[in-house]
C-alpha cells in the first residue's frame, strides 16, 4: 500500500477479508522457530508479513515454484568503514546477498572525526536499502596507548541514544579497564544498562571473565579457538562467530556448535573488504561455508536471523510470521543457499545478485566537507632511522589469518650504527606516524611475517586510531609510500624506491572511497598484486597490516607512541637491556 495502514486494515488483510499487497505462493518456508520447512503461502501488506498459510488474495502474486524462503540475514557485528566504501555503496554489495540488517559500530570513523563521523554514517545509511542499527562506539580512543583524531566522553555518547537507529553500546575493548574497575569505563557501561552492550575480550577467562561479564557485557566476537568460546558460552556470553577478510574464525569455531547452545551463537563479518564481499559474499557466505563444513542448514540460517534479532532486541524481524517485517530471502538450493530474490520491508530490492533499479542507493550527493582532508602531518619531523642501542630487539610477529601477534625477540641487522630492515630474515621496519594533529610523533619497530623482499606498503587504515602505518625493506621506499597516501588525503599504497607502484585513494576520513565498490575492488587487487611483486606471500598484506597497530589485541603492537605490550598494557622499548628479558 502507498499509504500507512491502520491496525484494523492489517487485521482485516490477515483475516483474508481484504487483499494483501503481495502474496508469495508455492514457497518452502524455513520456520526458524520450529525447525520445520513447509510448502505454503506468505501474504504481505506494506512492510509486514500478515499471513502464512491459507488462501490469500493479493494485488500482486509471485509463484516461487518451490523455492525456499527465510528471514533476511542479519550481520551481528560489522564495521562498514572496513569495506572502504561509503555505507550506501556497502549496501549495494550485501543486500543482493540477502543481508537486510546490519549491526554496526562506527568506531573507525569516530576515532578520526568523532560525533561528526558517526552522524555521517547514520545519514548515509538512511539512503541505503538495508537497515543499519548502530552500537555507539565505547572506546574513542581505544586506549591511552595511541593518538586518535577524536575523544568521545559519556556526555558525547548519551545524546545518541535518542536516535531511532542507535540501540546500544559498542564493543568494550578496554577489558583491562573493566576488570580493574576503572571508574570512567564502568560509568560509561552503567549509563547503557538496559541496552545491548557488546564485548571485545580476546583470551579472557577465569575470574577476569567473571568481572567483565558482571559489568553487564553480554557478547564477544574475538574467540579464535573452541576452548575459549566454550568457556564464554558457559558463562552466558553470546558468541559471534566471525569470518572477515583479515580474520577467519569460522572453521575453527564450528565444533563449538551443539543443539544445546546453538541459540547463543550468531554470525558476523566484523571487517570484510571489497574483493571478499563481491566474490565470496557477506553473511550468506558464512551460512554456505558452515553448511559445507557440516552444520545443519536450519541451524546456520537461525544463527544469521533469529539469534541476532533476539540478542539485539529487534523483535520486529528475524522470523517469517504475521506481524513481523517482511525481510525475506528467496533461494533455490537448501544445501547451497544463493539468494535469488531479496525483499526489504515487503519490497523487492534485489534480484539475481543485483539491486533492482527502483531500490535506489546510488544517488549522487555531495560529501560533507568535514569528512575530507583529514591528514595532518609534519614531515619535517618524520625520520625512519633507528639508532642501534643493543643486540636484541622486540619484534612484532604477524600471525596469518589472525589479529593477534607474537612478541618475538631477534637480533637486529646493524649498518653504520643504524638498525635496518633485513628482508632475508623477513625482518622489516614498521612505522606508525600520527596523522591527526601534526604532532610529528611516530613509533618505530620491526615486524616479521609480512614477507616483503623490497619496497614498502603504507595505509591510513590502522585499527582503531587510524594513523599512518608503513612497512618496508628500506627507508626511501617507506617514505615514498607514506607520502603517497598522505597526498591523496588518505589511502593505501605500494612503492619501490621513489616510484609508487599502486595506489588506492581513500579521501573519506582516510578510510573510505567515494567510488563504486567494484572500482575499489579493482584498485585493491592491483595493490595486492603490487605487494606480491615486492615479495609478500600474504593473501592481503594490507588487511594484516591494518591490525598491527591495534593495541587492545595481544601480544605486541605498534602505535605512534611506541611498542605496546598489550598483556601488560604498557609502552615498552624496542631494544631489550643486555642480559635482561624485559
Amino acid at each position: 500500500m502507498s499509504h500507512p495502514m491502520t491496525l484494523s486494515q492489517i487485521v482485516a488483510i490477515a483475516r483474508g477479508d481484504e487483499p494483501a499487497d503481495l502474496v508469495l505462493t508455492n514457497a518452502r518456508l524455513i520456520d526458524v522457530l520450529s525447525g520445520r520447512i513447509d510448502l505454503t503461502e506468505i501474504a504481505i501488506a506494506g512492510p509486514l508479513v500478515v499471513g502464512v498459510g491459507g488462501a490469500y488474495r493479493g494485488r500482486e502474486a509471485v509463484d516461487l515454484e518451490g523455492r525456499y524462503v527465510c528471514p533476511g540475514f542479519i550481520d551481528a557485528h560489522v564495521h562498514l568503514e572496513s569495506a572502504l566504501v561509503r555505507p550506501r555503496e556497502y549496501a549495494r554489495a550485501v543486500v543482493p546477498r540477502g543481508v537486510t540488517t546490519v549491526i554496526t559500530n562506527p568506531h573507525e570513523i569516530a576515532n578520526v572525526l568523532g560525533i561528526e563521523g558517526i552522524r555521517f554514517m547514520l545519514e548515509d545509511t538512511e539512503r541505503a536499502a538495508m537497515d543499519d542499527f548502530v552500537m555507539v562506539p565505547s572506546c574513542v580512543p581505544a586506549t591511552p596507548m595511541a593518538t586518535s583524531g577524536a575523544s568521545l566522553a559519556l556526555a558525547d555518547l548519551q545524546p545518541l541514544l535518542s536516535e531511532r537507529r542507535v540501540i546500544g553500546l559498542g564493543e568494550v575493548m578496554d577489558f583491562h579497564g573493566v576488570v580493574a574497575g576503572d571508574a570512567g569505563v564502568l560509568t560509561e557501561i552503567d549509563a547503557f544498562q538496559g541496552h545491548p552492550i557488546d564485548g571485545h575480550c580476546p583470551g579472557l577467562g577465569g575470574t577476569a571473565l567473571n568481572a567483565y561479564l558482571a559489568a553487564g557485557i553480554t557478547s564477544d566476537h574475538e574467540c579464535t579457538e573452541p576452548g575459549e568460546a566454550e568457556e564464554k558460552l558457559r558463562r552466558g556470553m553470546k558468541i559471534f562467530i566471525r569470518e572477515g577478510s583479515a580474520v577467519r574464525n569460522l572453521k575453527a569455531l564450528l565444533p563449538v556448535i551443539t543443539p544445546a547452545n546453538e541459540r547463543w551463537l550468531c554470525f558476523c563479518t566484523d571487517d570484510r573488504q571489497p574483493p571478499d564481499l563481491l566474490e565470496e559474499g557477506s553473511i550468506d557466505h558464512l551460512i554456505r561455508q558452515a553448511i559445507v563444513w557440516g552444520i545443519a542448514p536450519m541451524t546456520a540460517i537461525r544463527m544469521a536471523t533469529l539469534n541476532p534479532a533476539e540478542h539485539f532486541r529487534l523483535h520486529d524481524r528475524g522470523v517469517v510470521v504475521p506481524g513481523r517485517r517482511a525481510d525475506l530471502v528467496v533461494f533455490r538450493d537448501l544445501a547451497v543457499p544463493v539468494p535469488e530474490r531479496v525483499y526489504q520491508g515487503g519490497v523487492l530490492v534485489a534480484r539475481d545478485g543485483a539491486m533492482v533499479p527502483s531500490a535506489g542507493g546510488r544517488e549522487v550527493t555531495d560529501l560533507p566537507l568535514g569528512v575530507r582532508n583529514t591528514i595532518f602531518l609534519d614531515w619535517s619531523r618524520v625520520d625512519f632511522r633507528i639508532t642501534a642501542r643493543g643486540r636484541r630487539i622486540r619484534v612484532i610477529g604477524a600471525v596469518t589469518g589472525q589479529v593477534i601477534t607474537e612478541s618475538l625477540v631477534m637480533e637486529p641487522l646493524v649498518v653504520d650504527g643504524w638498525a635496518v630492515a633485513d628482508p632475508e630474515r623477513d625482518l622489516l621496519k614498521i612505522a606508525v606516524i600520527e596523522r591527526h594533529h601534526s604532532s610529528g610523533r611516530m613509533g618505530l619497530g620491526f615486524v616479521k611475517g609480512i614477507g616483503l623482499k623490497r619496497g614498502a606498503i603504507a595505509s591510513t587504515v590502522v585499527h582503531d586510531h587510524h594513523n599512518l602505518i608503513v612497512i618496508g625493506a628500506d627507508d626511501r621506499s617507506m617514505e615514498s609510500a607514506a607520502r603517497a597516501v598522505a597526498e591523496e588525503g588518505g589511502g593505501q599504497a605500494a612503492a619501490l624506491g621513489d616510484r609508487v607502484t599502486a595506489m588506492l585513494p581513500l579521501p573519506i576520513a582516510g578510510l573510505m572511497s567515494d567510488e563504486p565498490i567494484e572500482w575499489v575492488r579493482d584498485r585493491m587487487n592491483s595493490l595486492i598484486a603490487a605487494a606480491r611483486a615486492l615479495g609478500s606471500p600474504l593473501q592481503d598484506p594490507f588487511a594484516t597490516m591494518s591490525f598491527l597497530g591495534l593495541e587492545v589485541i595481544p601480544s605486541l603492537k605498534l602505535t605512534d607512541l611506541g611498542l605496546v605490550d598489550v598483556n601488560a598494557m604498557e609502552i615498552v622499548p624496542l631494544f631489550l637491556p643486555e642480559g635482561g628479558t624485559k
Side-chain angles (χ1 to χ4, degrees), residues 347-392:
V347 176
L348 181 67
V349 292
R351 185 169 188 172
D352 297 328
M355 300 292 290
V356 300
S358 59
R362 293 300 309 279
E363 301 87 350
V364 176
T365 58
D366 292 333
L367 289 169
L369 291 177
V371 305
R372 291 183 177 270
N373 303 318
T374 62
I375 308 297
F376 302 99
L377 284 174
D378 182 357
W379 284 106
S380 68
R381 298 172 65 184
V382 173
D383 187 349
F384 293 102
R385 294 176 299 176
I386 299 175
T387 302
R389 301 183 186 278
R391 291 181 294 178
R392 295 185 307 151

Side-chain angles (χ1 to χ4, degrees), residues 224-238:
T224 60
E225 54 89 22
E228 177 185 0
E230 287 166 355
E231 180 182 8
K232 289 175 177 176
L233 282 166
R234 290 195 303 270
R235 305 293 175 88
M237 284 194 110
K238 296 286 181 67

Side-chain angles (χ1 to χ4, degrees), residues 20 49 76 110 121 139 170 230 237 244 284 334 390 460 492 494 528 532 549 556:
V49 172
M121 300 297 279
C139 300
E230 287 166 355
M237 284 194 110
D284 62 307
L334 186 61
T460 50
Q492 300 178 328
I528 292 169
R532 287 179 179 159
L556 188 65

Side-chain angles (χ1 to χ4, degrees), residues 5 44 50 97 121 153 191 209 219 222 243 258 263 342 412 511:
M5 294 180 295
I44 298 167
V50 293
R97 301 287 196 159
M121 300 297 279
L209 178 59
S219 72
E222 291 292 339
E243 187 79 354
T258 70
R263 296 284 279 109
V342 181
L511 301 175

Side-chain angles (χ1 to χ4, degrees), residues 299-488:
T299 297
I301 290 170
R302 192 178 280 129
M303 289 170 60
T305 56
L306 177 63
N307 294 3
E310 288 192 340
H311 175 74
F312 290 105
R313 306 173 192 178
L314 301 175
H315 300 304
D316 63 340
R317 66 197 67 210
V319 291
V320 183
V321 296
R324 307 292 178 92
R325 281 183 59 86
D327 294 349
L328 308 173
V329 180
V330 179
F331 55 91
R332 190 183 300 269
D333 187 348
L334 186 61
V336 187
V338 176
E340 294 182 7
R341 288 172 170 257
V342 181
Y343 292 88
Q344 171 82 336
V347 176
L348 181 67
V349 292
R351 185 169 188 172
D352 297 328
M355 300 292 290
V356 300
S358 59
R362 293 300 309 279
E363 301 87 350
V364 176
T365 58
D366 292 333
L367 289 169
L369 291 177
V371 305
R372 291 183 177 270
N373 303 318
T374 62
I375 308 297
F376 302 99
L377 284 174
D378 182 357
W379 284 106
S380 68
R381 298 172 65 184
V382 173
D383 187 349
F384 293 102
R385 294 176 299 176
I386 299 175
T387 302
R389 301 183 186 278
R391 291 181 294 178
R392 295 185 307 151
I393 55 173
R394 291 180 172 88
V395 176
I396 299 169
V399 179
T400 303
Q402 302 295 340
V403 294
I404 59 172
T405 61
E406 297 175 307
S407 182
L408 308 176
V409 175
M410 297 179 66
E411 183 177 343
L413 174 63
V414 177
V415 178
D416 297 329
W418 305 105
V420 299
D422 186 1
E424 292 301 314
R425 289 188 292 154
D426 187 22
L427 184 62
L428 301 174
K429 191 177 288 186
I430 180 171
V432 175
I433 310 169
E434 193 279 310
R435 63 99 159 175
H436 302 292
H437 310 292
S438 296
S439 69
R441 278 192 304 273
M442 61 185 297
L444 289 165
F446 290 89
V447 62
K448 182 177 178 63
I450 302 301
L452 295 178
K453 299 298 184 185
R454 55 193 183 131
I457 56 176
S459 176
T460 50
V461 179
V462 194
H463 309 286
D464 289 321
H465 46 77
H466 299 295
N467 287 301
L468 196 161
I469 193 169
V470 56
I471 296 172
D474 68 272
D475 292 359
R476 191 172 80 177
S477 296
M478 291 176 73
E479 182 170 350
S480 296
R483 284 186 178 273
V485 297
E487 289 168 3
E488 289 286 352

Side-chain angles (χ1 to χ4, degrees), residues 71-84:
F73 304 145
I74 301 172
D75 194 331
H77 175 72
V78 61
H79 303 287
L80 300 185
E81 304 99 312
S82 293
L84 307 182

